[in-house]
Amino acid sequence: MPQGAVHYSSSTQPPLFDGSAIVELLNPSNQNNVEEEEPTTTQPYDPNFTLQYLNALLLELEPGMIMLQTTSTTQQVGLSANFVKEKLPISFSCWMWLLCWDLWGVLAGWVQSRVVDLVGLLWSLAVTYPMYFGAFVCMVWGVSFVRRKRMERLELREQVQQVRELAYDKLIGCEDEGGYASPFLRDDVSFDLYPSSVKRRKYVSTTVWPRVMAQVRLDSRVRKSHRQVDGVLLEQWEWIAPKQQNSRRLQAKTPLQ
Protein backbone atom coordinates (compact mmCIF):
# COMPACT_ATOMS: atom_id res chain seq x y z
CA MET A 1 0.00 0.00 0.00
CA PRO A 2 1.51 3.41 -0.92
CA GLN A 3 2.57 5.68 1.87
CA GLY A 4 -0.20 7.97 3.07
CA ALA A 5 -2.97 5.67 1.80
CA VAL A 6 -4.23 4.75 5.30
CA HIS A 7 -6.53 7.03 7.29
CA TYR A 8 -8.07 6.69 10.77
CA SER A 9 -11.37 8.46 11.23
CA SER A 10 -11.69 7.79 14.98
CA SER A 11 -10.36 5.61 17.78
CA THR A 12 -13.18 3.04 17.32
CA GLN A 13 -13.37 3.07 13.51
CA PRO A 14 -11.24 0.52 11.60
CA PRO A 15 -8.66 2.07 9.27
CA LEU A 16 -9.77 3.43 5.90
CA PHE A 17 -7.72 3.18 2.70
CA ASP A 18 -7.59 5.51 -0.27
CA GLY A 19 -9.70 4.13 -3.07
CA SER A 20 -7.16 5.13 -5.69
CA ALA A 21 -4.49 3.01 -3.99
CA ILE A 22 -6.80 -0.01 -3.91
CA VAL A 23 -7.76 0.41 -7.57
CA GLU A 24 -4.09 0.75 -8.47
CA LEU A 25 -3.24 -2.52 -6.72
CA LEU A 26 -6.23 -4.37 -8.22
CA ASN A 27 -5.80 -3.03 -11.76
CA PRO A 28 -4.28 -5.83 -13.90
CA SER A 29 -2.48 -3.32 -16.12
CA ASN A 30 -0.38 -2.18 -13.16
CA GLN A 31 0.61 -5.63 -11.85
CA ASN A 32 3.79 -5.70 -13.94
CA ASN A 33 4.82 -2.31 -12.61
CA VAL A 34 4.85 -3.65 -9.04
CA GLU A 35 7.37 -6.38 -9.90
CA GLU A 36 9.78 -4.08 -11.76
CA GLU A 37 12.70 -2.62 -9.84
CA GLU A 38 12.30 0.85 -11.39
CA PRO A 39 8.84 2.44 -11.06
CA THR A 40 7.10 3.44 -14.26
CA THR A 41 4.55 6.15 -14.82
CA THR A 42 0.93 5.21 -14.10
CA GLN A 43 -2.33 6.58 -15.37
CA PRO A 44 -3.50 9.86 -13.80
CA TYR A 45 -5.95 9.55 -10.94
CA ASP A 46 -9.61 9.67 -12.03
CA PRO A 47 -12.09 10.01 -9.14
CA ASN A 48 -15.06 8.94 -11.26
CA PHE A 49 -13.30 5.76 -12.42
CA THR A 50 -12.26 4.94 -8.86
CA LEU A 51 -15.80 5.35 -7.55
CA GLN A 52 -17.28 3.21 -10.33
CA TYR A 53 -14.67 0.51 -9.77
CA LEU A 54 -15.28 0.43 -6.02
CA ASN A 55 -19.07 0.35 -6.46
CA ALA A 56 -18.71 -2.61 -8.79
CA LEU A 57 -16.40 -4.28 -6.29
CA LEU A 58 -18.87 -3.77 -3.43
CA LEU A 59 -21.56 -5.71 -5.30
CA GLU A 60 -19.45 -8.87 -5.03
CA LEU A 61 -18.99 -8.60 -1.25
CA GLU A 62 -21.27 -9.22 1.70
CA PRO A 63 -23.69 -6.35 2.39
CA GLY A 64 -22.55 -4.19 5.25
CA MET A 65 -18.98 -5.51 5.05
CA ILE A 66 -17.40 -2.47 3.37
CA MET A 67 -17.79 1.18 4.31
CA LEU A 68 -17.19 3.76 1.58
CA GLN A 69 -16.68 7.45 2.29
CA THR A 70 -16.67 9.82 -0.66
CA THR A 71 -15.40 13.39 -0.70
CA SER A 72 -14.84 15.88 -3.48
CA THR A 73 -11.27 14.76 -3.99
CA THR A 74 -10.98 11.14 -2.89
CA GLN A 75 -12.80 8.00 -1.84
CA GLN A 76 -11.92 6.06 1.28
CA VAL A 77 -12.83 2.43 1.72
CA GLY A 78 -12.46 -0.06 4.57
CA LEU A 79 -14.21 -2.65 6.71
CA SER A 80 -17.24 -1.37 8.59
CA ALA A 81 -17.14 -1.18 12.36
CA ASN A 82 -20.20 -3.43 12.67
CA PHE A 83 -18.59 -6.15 10.52
CA VAL A 84 -15.34 -6.01 12.48
CA LYS A 85 -17.21 -6.21 15.77
CA GLU A 86 -19.73 -8.95 14.91
CA LYS A 87 -18.68 -10.93 11.84
CA LEU A 88 -14.93 -10.69 11.37
CA PRO A 89 -13.52 -14.23 11.82
CA ILE A 90 -10.97 -14.34 14.63
CA SER A 91 -9.12 -17.47 15.80
CA PHE A 92 -9.54 -18.80 19.34
CA SER A 93 -5.98 -17.84 20.26
CA CYS A 94 -6.67 -14.24 19.20
CA TRP A 95 -9.84 -14.18 21.27
CA MET A 96 -7.92 -15.47 24.28
CA TRP A 97 -5.19 -12.89 23.74
CA LEU A 98 -7.77 -10.10 23.49
CA LEU A 99 -9.52 -11.41 26.62
CA CYS A 100 -6.24 -11.49 28.57
CA TRP A 101 -5.41 -8.01 27.35
CA ASP A 102 -8.80 -6.71 28.47
CA LEU A 103 -8.45 -8.38 31.86
CA TRP A 104 -4.98 -6.93 32.26
CA GLY A 105 -6.32 -3.49 31.37
CA VAL A 106 -9.10 -3.81 33.95
CA LEU A 107 -6.68 -5.01 36.63
CA ALA A 108 -4.13 -2.31 35.86
CA GLY A 109 -6.85 0.33 35.91
CA TRP A 110 -8.17 -0.94 39.24
CA VAL A 111 -4.70 -0.95 40.81
CA GLN A 112 -3.96 2.50 39.44
CA SER A 113 -7.23 3.88 40.80
CA ARG A 114 -6.55 2.36 44.23
CA VAL A 115 -3.04 3.81 44.29
CA VAL A 116 -4.34 7.23 43.27
CA ASP A 117 -7.03 7.06 45.95
CA LEU A 118 -4.49 6.05 48.59
CA VAL A 119 -2.08 8.82 47.61
CA GLY A 120 -4.91 11.33 47.62
CA LEU A 121 -6.07 10.18 51.04
CA LEU A 122 -2.55 10.41 52.50
CA TRP A 123 -2.05 13.84 50.97
CA SER A 124 -5.35 15.11 52.34
CA LEU A 125 -4.47 13.78 55.79
CA ALA A 126 -1.02 15.35 55.63
CA VAL A 127 -2.49 18.71 54.66
CA THR A 128 -5.41 18.60 57.10
CA TYR A 129 -3.59 17.11 60.12
CA PRO A 130 0.15 17.70 59.57
CA MET A 131 1.19 17.07 63.17
CA TYR A 132 -0.81 13.86 63.58
CA PHE A 133 0.28 12.64 60.19
CA GLY A 134 3.93 13.31 60.99
CA ALA A 135 3.60 11.50 64.29
CA PHE A 136 1.98 8.54 62.54
CA VAL A 137 4.79 8.35 59.95
CA CYS A 138 7.42 8.50 62.70
CA MET A 139 5.63 5.76 64.62
CA VAL A 140 5.43 3.50 61.57
CA TRP A 141 9.11 4.09 60.80
CA GLY A 142 10.07 3.43 64.43
CA VAL A 143 8.12 0.16 64.55
CA SER A 144 9.68 -1.06 61.30
CA PHE A 145 13.14 -0.05 62.52
CA VAL A 146 12.72 -1.92 65.81
CA ARG A 147 11.42 -5.01 64.05
CA ARG A 148 14.29 -4.97 61.57
CA LYS A 149 16.86 -4.62 64.35
CA ARG A 150 15.23 -7.44 66.29
CA MET A 151 15.36 -9.72 63.29
CA GLU A 152 19.00 -8.81 62.72
CA ARG A 153 19.83 -9.65 66.34
CA LEU A 154 18.04 -12.99 66.14
CA GLU A 155 19.84 -13.84 62.91
CA LEU A 156 23.19 -12.83 64.41
CA ARG A 157 22.52 -14.95 67.49
CA GLU A 158 21.80 -18.01 65.34
CA GLN A 159 24.93 -17.40 63.28
CA VAL A 160 27.06 -17.07 66.41
CA GLN A 161 25.70 -20.34 67.73
CA GLN A 162 26.30 -22.06 64.40
CA VAL A 163 29.90 -20.81 64.10
CA ARG A 164 30.63 -21.67 67.74
CA GLU A 165 29.38 -25.25 67.38
CA LEU A 166 31.41 -25.72 64.21
CA ALA A 167 34.50 -24.33 65.97
CA TYR A 168 33.93 -26.77 68.87
CA ASP A 169 33.69 -29.64 66.37
CA LYS A 170 37.05 -28.70 64.90
CA LEU A 171 38.64 -28.32 68.34
CA ILE A 172 37.36 -31.71 69.46
CA GLY A 173 38.53 -33.37 66.27
CA CYS A 174 41.93 -31.66 66.23
CA GLU A 175 44.79 -34.17 66.50
CA ASP A 176 47.62 -31.63 66.77
CA GLU A 177 49.02 -30.99 70.20
CA GLY A 178 48.19 -27.53 71.38
CA GLY A 179 44.94 -27.28 69.46
CA TYR A 180 44.05 -24.48 67.07
CA ALA A 181 45.26 -20.93 66.75
CA SER A 182 42.19 -18.70 66.94
CA PRO A 183 42.76 -16.91 63.58
CA PHE A 184 43.37 -20.21 61.81
CA LEU A 185 40.23 -21.70 63.31
CA ARG A 186 38.24 -18.64 62.30
CA ASP A 187 39.40 -18.93 58.68
CA ASP A 188 38.70 -22.67 58.55
CA VAL A 189 35.17 -22.21 59.87
CA SER A 190 34.36 -19.29 57.55
CA PHE A 191 35.63 -21.19 54.51
CA ASP A 192 33.57 -24.24 55.48
CA LEU A 193 30.43 -22.12 55.75
CA TYR A 194 30.92 -19.84 52.74
CA PRO A 195 33.54 -21.26 50.38
CA SER A 196 32.54 -19.00 47.47
CA SER A 197 31.50 -15.76 49.16
CA VAL A 198 34.20 -13.35 50.24
CA LYS A 199 31.60 -10.93 51.57
CA ARG A 200 30.03 -13.51 53.89
CA ARG A 201 33.43 -14.70 55.12
CA LYS A 202 34.35 -11.11 55.93
CA TYR A 203 31.06 -10.75 57.82
CA VAL A 204 31.86 -13.86 59.86
CA SER A 205 35.37 -12.57 60.65
CA THR A 206 34.37 -9.05 61.64
CA THR A 207 30.91 -9.48 63.19
CA VAL A 208 30.29 -13.10 64.20
CA TRP A 209 33.72 -14.29 65.29
CA PRO A 210 34.35 -11.63 68.02
CA ARG A 211 31.18 -12.84 69.76
CA VAL A 212 32.29 -16.45 69.39
CA MET A 213 35.66 -15.58 70.95
CA ALA A 214 33.94 -13.95 73.93
CA GLN A 215 31.94 -17.13 74.57
CA VAL A 216 34.88 -19.50 74.09
CA ARG A 217 37.04 -17.50 76.50
CA LEU A 218 34.41 -18.14 79.18
CA ASP A 219 34.22 -21.87 78.44
CA SER A 220 36.27 -23.92 80.91
CA ARG A 221 36.35 -26.90 78.55
CA VAL A 222 38.73 -24.99 76.29
CA ARG A 223 42.30 -24.27 77.39
CA LYS A 224 43.48 -20.84 76.36
CA SER A 225 47.15 -20.08 75.76
CA HIS A 226 49.34 -18.06 73.45
CA ARG A 227 51.80 -19.16 70.81
CA GLN A 228 54.14 -17.15 68.67
CA VAL A 229 53.91 -17.88 64.94
CA ASP A 230 56.27 -16.05 62.59
CA GLY A 231 56.85 -13.37 65.17
CA VAL A 232 53.12 -12.86 65.80
CA LEU A 233 51.57 -13.79 69.15
CA LEU A 234 48.39 -15.79 68.52
CA GLU A 235 45.72 -17.01 70.91
CA GLN A 236 45.69 -20.80 71.10
CA TRP A 237 42.65 -22.94 71.90
CA GLU A 238 42.67 -26.59 72.92
CA TRP A 239 39.76 -28.82 73.92
CA ILE A 240 40.54 -30.47 77.26
CA ALA A 241 37.16 -31.93 78.26
CA PRO A 242 36.61 -35.68 77.81
CA LYS A 243 35.70 -36.21 74.16
CA GLN A 244 33.40 -39.16 74.83
CA GLN A 245 31.00 -36.79 76.56
CA ASN A 246 30.63 -34.95 73.27
CA SER A 247 30.04 -37.89 70.96
CA ARG A 248 26.67 -36.43 69.91
CA ARG A 249 28.33 -33.23 68.71
CA LEU A 250 31.01 -35.17 66.85
CA GLN A 251 28.36 -37.20 65.01
CA ALA A 252 26.19 -34.21 64.22
CA LYS A 253 26.80 -32.09 61.15
CA THR A 254 26.46 -28.36 61.33
CA PRO A 255 24.02 -27.15 58.65
CA LEU A 256 25.36 -24.63 56.17
CA GLN A 257 23.38 -21.55 55.32
Side-chain angles (χ1 to χ4, degrees):
M1 188 69 67
Q3 186 177 4
V6 183
H7 302 274
Y8 296 89
S9 59
S10 66
S11 59
T12 59
Q13 172 63 43
L16 299 177
F17 301 89
D18 284 344
S20 59
I22 297 178
V23 172
E24 182 180 351
L25 291 177
L26 297 178
N27 190 353
S29 61
N30 292 332
Q31 293 297 321
N32 296 330
N33 296 336
V34 176
E35 299 177 357
E36 295 179 358
E37 295 182 359
E38 297 182 359
T40 59
T41 57
T42 58
Q43 298 294 330
Y45 170 65
D46 186 356
N48 294 326
F49 173 75
T50 303
L51 182 60
Q52 295 173 5
Y53 192 94
L54 291 177
N55 288 331
L57 182 64
L58 293 179
L59 295 177
E60 304 296 330
L61 302 176
E62 179 180 347
M65 177 179 180
I66 301 297
M67 183 181 65
L68 179 65
Q69 291 185 355
T70 304
T71 63
S72 58
T73 58
T74 183
Q75 292 85 36
Q76 298 177 0
V77 62
L79 295 176
S80 65
N82 184 62
F83 178 82
V84 171
K85 182 179 180 180
E86 298 181 0
K87 297 183 179 181
L88 184 66
I90 300 179
S91 62
F92 178 77
S93 60
C94 291
W95 277 114
M96 293 302 298
W97 188 89
L98 293 174
L99 177 62
C100 293
W101 182 258
D102 291 340
L103 292 177
W104 169 253
V106 172
L107 179 61
W110 182 83
V111 172
Q112 181 181 6
S113 63
R114 299 288 80 78
V115 171
V116 171
D117 294 342
L118 179 61
V119 172
L121 176 62
L122 294 177
W123 177 255
S124 63
L125 291 176
V127 173
T128 307
Y129 309 101
M131 295 183 60
Y132 294 104
F133 184 79
F136 175 76
V137 171
C138 293
M139 183 184 65
V140 171
W141 179 85
V143 171
S144 62
F145 178 80
V146 171
R147 292 187 61 183
R148 185 173 66 253
K149 288 299 182 180
R150 180 178 300 175
M151 293 299 296
E152 291 177 357
R153 287 196 299 269
L154 291 176
E155 182 180 0
L156 179 58
R157 185 180 304 171
E158 294 177 356
Q159 292 173 345
V160 169
Q161 181 179 1
Q162 178 186 11
V163 172
R164 185 195 64 206
E165 294 300 317
L166 185 55
Y168 281 161
D169 288 344
K170 289 186 175 295
L171 288 175
I172 295 173
C174 182
E175 298 179 354
D176 296 339
E177 295 183 1
Y180 257 103
S182 175
F184 299 160
L185 181 60
R186 176 199 62 196
D187 295 340
D188 285 349
V189 171
S190 62
F191 268 97
D192 287 345
L193 289 174
Y194 309 106
S196 60
S197 177
V198 178
K199 182 179 179 180
R200 296 301 298 177
R201 292 200 301 268
K202 183 178 180 181
Y203 173 77
V204 170
S205 300
T206 58
T207 305
V208 179
W209 189 253
R211 292 168 171 81
V212 174
M213 292 181 63
Q215 294 182 11
V216 172
R217 287 170 180 170
L218 297 176
D219 195 339
S220 60
R221 297 171 298 178
V222 179
R223 176 187 294 162
K224 277 74 66 175
S225 61
H226 291 84
R227 185 178 68 176
Q228 192 170 11
V229 179
D230 295 335
V232 180
L233 191 63
L234 301 179
E235 186 174 358
Q236 193 82 4
W237 292 345
E238 181 183 3
W239 187 268
I240 59 175
K243 296 184 179 181
Q244 61 270 18
Q245 296 179 2
N246 302 278
S247 57
R248 182 182 59 85
R249 179 182 296 164
L250 285 173
Q251 295 175 1
K253 292 184 178 180
T254 304
L256 299 183
Q257 294 181 348

